[in-house]
Amino acid sequence: MELYFAPLACSLATRIALYEAGADAKFTAVDLKAKRLENGADFRDVNAMGQVPVLRDGDALITENPVVLQYVADRHPASGLAPTGGPERYRLQQWLNFITSELHKVVFIPLLDRTSPEGAKQYARDKGLQRLGYLDRELQGRDFLLDRFTVADAYLVTILNWAKYAGIELKSYPAIDAYFTRLTKRPSVAKALADELALYAAEQARKSA
Ligand SMILES: N[C@@H](CCC(=O)N[C@@H](CS)C(=O)NCC(=O)O)C(=O)O
């Protein structure tokens, strides 16, 4: 498998899932601004949307976080990264959809995007209060979103990692804050974060040279 990623972007969730599964994977960095790979190739030839994550598995090219994450889980069933069926599989999909549509795109992207106007940022802050309040109540008394670590947790910890850059104070949400602190200590998450932080720092240094 090959993961097209950008350091600390949402593709980090798939890196966590791959580490968690012990999968043998190649990681290909994408410059999201230039839409280029390190060899100069146009990333839009891989994904016309110009977005990460993209997962290549043989001839298959998989895109969209909730799908990519479930694909990794299903290709590694022993990892237990997704329930294999029944109501819990739908519960997993419910969380993946919530994270992608209610948090990632509605709250975090407008706050992180330097080009989004103040009105969009205020809208995102207002929605964030309600979405994160709901998540905080759901996480009370729970270690994970389901009854064990799944790809939904890999996605959620990735998005919550942006809070400090988005001006969101996780301390205001005690259950989320405790969950985030706990998950960042999980070996797969800690390693993925450390690996991508180093790549991010190197990318920043290259750009400012
Ligand atoms: N709907 C896509 C969104 C992915 C996405 O927003 N990726 C960001 C990085 S976190 C990206 O590639 N942004 C560059 C762009 O949109 O041009 C998914 O869930 O995979």
Side-chain angles (χ1 to χ4, degrees):
M1 284 192 195
E2 177 178 11
L3 175 67
Y4 294 86
F5 79 101
L8 300 182
C10 51
S11 44
L12 175 71
T14 305
R15 181 186 289 270
I16 294 170
L18 290 166
Y19 285 180
E20 194 75 37
D24 185 20
K26 175 180 174 193
F27 297 91
T28 300
V30 178
D31 180 335
L32 283 178
K33 275 217 179 84
K35 306 291 179 206
R36 297 265 158 207
L37 305 182
E38 273 167 4
N39 65 8
D42 191 334
F43 176 53
R44 282 161 298 202
D45 292 339
V46 179
N47 179 9
M49 282 293 290
Q51 293 181 322
V52 293
V54 178
L55 190 70
R56 188 190 291 280
D57 189 18
D59 289 339
L61 274 179
I62 320 287
T63 62
E64 300 295 328
N65 280 291
V67 181
V68 172
L69 289 166
Q70 290 183 80
Y71 186 87
V72 171
D74 290 343
R75 290 282 275 110
H76 302 89
S79 67
L81 282 167
T84 49
E88 282 300 280
R89 183 62 179 237
Y90 294 105
R91 185 94 184 125
L92 174 81
Q93 292 176 347
Q94 183 184 317
W95 278 120
L96 289 170
N97 255 44
F98 171 81
I99 297 162
T100 203
S101 62
E102 303 296 339
L103 292 182
H104 181 176
K105 286 297 171 179
V106 169
V107 176
F108 283 86
I109 292 297
L111 292 175
L112 292 168
D113 188 336
R114 289 198 193 110
T115 65
S116 72
E118 180 47 35
K121 290 194 193 299
Q122 193 50 50
Y123 178 88
R125 278 184 215 107
D126 292 345
K127 294 290 176 198
L129 285 175
Q130 191 270 332
R131 268 54 167 180
L132 292 168
Y134 163 77
L135 179 65
D136 196 55
R137 288 189 295 280
E138 289 289 313
L139 281 174
Q140 275 167 23
R142 304 193 66 88
D143 285 341
F144 306 110
L145 290 166
L146 300 188
D147 61 359
R148 59 186 156 76
F149 184 89
T150 65
V151 287
D153 297 298
Y155 196 7
L156 182 55
V157 74
T158 295
I159 301 301
L160 294 176
N161 187 49
W162 298 338
K164 51 186 173 292
Y165 309 108
I168 291 176
E169 187 51 80
L170 288 187
K171 291 257 177 295
S172 311
Y173 307 95
I176 297 178
D177 193 41
Y179 167 91
F180 180 67
T181 304
R182 208 169 43 247
L183 280 230
T184 52
K185 293 186 180 136
R186 191 175 174 89
S188 64
V189 178
K191 176 169 165 42
L193 276 171
D195 289 352
E196 293 214 358
L197 259 173
L199 292 167
Y200 183 78
E203 186 184 80
Q204 296 304 305
R206 246 189 341 266
K207 282 183 180 162
S208 63

